[in-house]
Amino acid sequence: MKYLTDPLAINAVIPELASHSIVWMDTEVADYKTRHPRLSLVQILTETQESYILDVLDQPKLIDDLIQGVMVNPAIQKVFHNAAYDLRFLGKSAAQSVTCTLKLARLIPYHLLPVSSHSLKSLVLHFFQHDLSKAEQSSDWGYRPLTASQLDYARDDIHYLSQVHAALKLLYQKAHYDPAVDSILEIETEILAIQEEWKQLDSRYQYLKERAKAVMLAQDIKETDIFSLKHRTTEKVPFVELAQLGIPIDFEITLNATIRKSLTPDQLNQLTRTLSVSDVLSFRKANSDDAEVD
DNA sequence: CGCGGATAGAAGAAGATGAC
DNA sequence: GTCATCTTCTTCTATCCGCG
């Protein structure tokens, strides 16, 4: 691990970092609760397992050099967890070739990745049974010198990020089939195998939720360990009144059966109609015995 | 705390089905 | 044919998530 605090040393290492085709990155931020958070550390791991911790606190010039040298270069793939957060400090929309493991994790269906949260901590626990201590996450990253424990945390983060990334890529491949060559028969076999069990569970699940809601309403319980019940208000105004106020209205209204009925064919043709078509999958009604006599 | 994006769930619609 | 019911979909908005 290289912990670099000297601006000259950091500047010197940028070309070396830029020579990699993929790096795993993370940042630590000071004053994150205030209106003006400051970038404190940028951690970078290379595919050769070298980790760099760059101290860039109050070094806007250095941060910009890093953005120009690494972030905007499309030839370097940058992997972050919740990239949107780090990009606020590292080039924003100018950053190129950024991969986000949070987004990747969310693309994997629950049955292949059964975790209650897609935070890096949860993913590390799921894949590697390692409790990534997040105690340092909210520590003071604006104070110098940093503690050994802070630096350990900073290094662990990118190390586990690359491991999680690899595990996620495998699962992603497992989850994604090419529909052009996928087998409908295989899908049908699998869905029939679990359908009855799923129906029973789903029925029970919905039923219990309805009961819970009824109980909480009747007994005026607002919150339990697993449920919360709150009011939700929706206010409406007559459309005609809005129109009469001359408020610019620029959205479409679904042409439903009721409105359609009150329009003459002429009126209907005068309107600018846009049609949207969706494809609907449904189960066919289970055939009775005559189906087999085909 | 702030943000961008995801998510849950309510509401309303289309269309298939079923009872009569 | 009419009407009600069921499934599935889209749309909308408040709320949640994840980062430090």
Side-chain angles (χ1 to χ4, degrees), chain A residues 5-266:
Chain A
T5 52
D6 175 19
L8 288 174
I10 295 177
N11 241 319
V13 91
I14 292 176
E16 139 70 9
L17 293 170
S19 70
H20 294 275
S21 57
I22 181 168
V23 290
W24 292 266
M25 298 182 68
D26 188 29
T27 60
E28 306 305 329
V29 174
D31 307 331
Y32 59 85
K33 281 188 183 172
T34 70
R35 206 172 285 272
H36 301 288
R38 291 180 294 157
L39 192 56
S40 170
L41 297 183
V42 177
Q43 305 102 276
I44 303 173
L45 178 73
T46 67
E47 70 266 51
T48 47
Q49 297 301 306
E50 292 156 287
S51 54
Y52 297 85
I53 300 183
L54 312 181
D55 201 322
V56 296
L57 189 67
D58 299 323
Q59 301 276 357
K61 175 73 177 66
L62 213 47
I63 295 170
D64 198 54
D65 289 344
L66 190 64
I67 292 170
Q68 298 312 319
V70 178
M71 298 307 295
V72 304
N73 184 345
I76 315 166
Q77 189 193 355
K78 276 81 61 179
V79 183
F80 291 89
H81 192 73
N82 197 4
Y85 181 81
D86 304 273
L87 289 195
R88 284 163 62 186
F89 309 97
L90 288 177
K92 305 189 176 70
S93 56
Q96 299 291 313
S97 307
V98 171
T99 300
C100 175
T101 46
L102 174 63
K103 281 190 180 172
L104 183 58
R106 286 176 170 163
L107 289 175
I108 298 168
Y110 183 75
H111 67 278
L112 290 177
L113 184 58
V115 286
S116 59
S117 149
H118 291 120
S119 68
L120 187 62
K121 182 185 164 74
S122 302
L123 294 175
V124 167
L125 193 64
H126 173 77
F127 287 122
F128 311 112
Q129 296 77 47
H130 178 267
D131 190 2
L132 192 63
S133 160
K134 278 278 170 183
E136 297 294 349
Q137 185 179 53
S138 47
S139 66
D140 186 355
W141 292 101
Y143 187 81
R144 292 293 182 275
L146 295 166
T147 66
S149 146
Q150 279 179 311
L151 289 174
D152 282 349
Y153 167 79
R155 187 205 48 215
D156 280 5
D157 247 17
I158 39 171
H159 166 73
Y160 279 107
L161 171 65
S162 75
Q163 305 286 303
V164 162
H165 181 226
L168 288 177
K169 276 200 296 188
L170 281 177
L171 279 183
Y172 183 82
Q173 285 165 17
K174 210 172 167 182
H176 290 82
Y177 290 81
D178 176 3
V181 293
D182 199 359
S183 156
I184 188 66
L185 243 133
E186 221 170 88
I187 298 169
E188 288 178 344
T189 307
E190 200 173 327
I191 209 165
L192 287 176
I194 61 170
Q195 192 172 49
E196 183 54 30
E197 187 186 9
W198 174 77
K199 278 186 174 178
Q200 300 254 352
L201 278 176
D202 188 57
S203 150
R204 204 165 142 200
Y205 192 78
Q206 300 300 335
Y207 167 78
L208 288 171
K209 280 199 338 189
E210 279 164 29
R211 264 177 68 192
K213 184 173 175 180
V215 170
M216 290 172 76
L217 277 172
Q219 302 178 18
D220 196 27
I221 303 168
K222 297 199 167 44
E223 219 173 44
T224 70
D225 281 352
I226 67 169
F227 295 118
S228 86
L229 182 67
K230 41 191 78 159
H231 296 302
R232 183 187 187 118
T233 52
T234 315
E235 206 172 2
K236 299 197 177 189
V237 293
F239 185 74
V240 201
E241 289 180 22
L242 267 188
Q244 280 166 356
L245 289 175
I247 288 163
I249 291 169
D250 188 20
F251 56 83
E252 294 175 311
I253 288 188
T254 305
L255 190 59
N256 62 18
T258 316
I259 300 176
R260 196 187 293 271
K261 252 183 210 163
S262 51
L263 285 170
T264 68
D266 266 359

